Amino acid sequence: MPSTHDWPALPPLHTGIRGRCPRCGEGHLFQGFLKLRPGCEVCGLDYSFADPADGPAFFVICFACVPSVVLALWIEAQFGPPYWVHLLTTLPFMLLTCVPPLRPLKGWLVASQFFFNAEEARFGAAAPPRKTRHDTGAAA
Ligand SMILES: [Zn+2]
């Protein structure tokens, strides 16, 4: 069934980081801080396809935690302070470098999943025809 509306291909970086719908770029992606909405309130895209799993946490662990560890090690090696100093310096720094990137990273991963039609691999039986990003999601 042909779609009733041709949606432009929006770059995942532009829509996902801002927490916008990957199809129309106007609707909201999130209901809370990290919880996805059931669908887009503007174009009606069903977000059930979205499953970034622990991808955002992986990126935060790999890239955002490194500066925190470097800071903690540097403070420890340079000053040898009591542990409460780390509670006042390293812990807030770690929270600031790890928590804020989660939402834009999750948005980017969900938008990329939509943009590239990514889904779980199926082995064995032939896979059903895939929907393109331009489909409206309406039943055929
Ligand atoms: Zn939308």
Side-chain angles (χ1 to χ4, degrees):
M1 179 176 182
S3 65
T4 55
H5 191 293
D6 281 334
W7 299 99
L10 300 173
L13 265 179
H14 291 172
T15 56
I17 286 182
R18 293 183 305 130
R20 296 299 176 175
C21 170
R23 184 164 68 183
C24 68
E26 295 174 19
H28 294 89
L29 198 55
F30 295 101
Q31 203 164 25
F33 180 62
L34 286 176
K35 185 178 180 186
L36 291 175
R37 301 171 60 99
C40 176
E41 74 271 23
V42 176
C43 71
L45 175 66
D46 183 11
Y47 292 155
S48 62
F49 69 89
D51 183 21
D54 43 1
F58 168 78
F59 284 108
V60 164
I61 289 169
C62 285
F63 300 110
C65 285
V66 171
S68 301
V69 172
V70 169
L71 176 70
L73 291 176
W74 179 77
I75 289 174
E76 189 64 34
Q78 193 72 24
F79 305 106
Y83 290 124
W84 63 264
V85 172
H86 287 289
L87 284 176
L88 298 178
T89 57
T90 308
L91 182 65
F93 184 77
M94 183 177 64
L95 291 175
L96 285 175
T97 56
C98 292
V99 175
L102 284 173
R103 185 177 163 129
L105 279 171
K106 186 171 183 174
W108 171 60
L109 289 174
V110 168
S112 295
Q113 197 173 6
F114 176 78
F115 187 82
F116 295 109
N117 288 327
E119 61 186 41
E120 279 189 45
R122 295 189 188 125
F123 300 103
R130 299 175 69 181
K131 291 181 179 179
T132 66
R133 65 174 170 258
H134 301 291
D135 288 343
T136 59

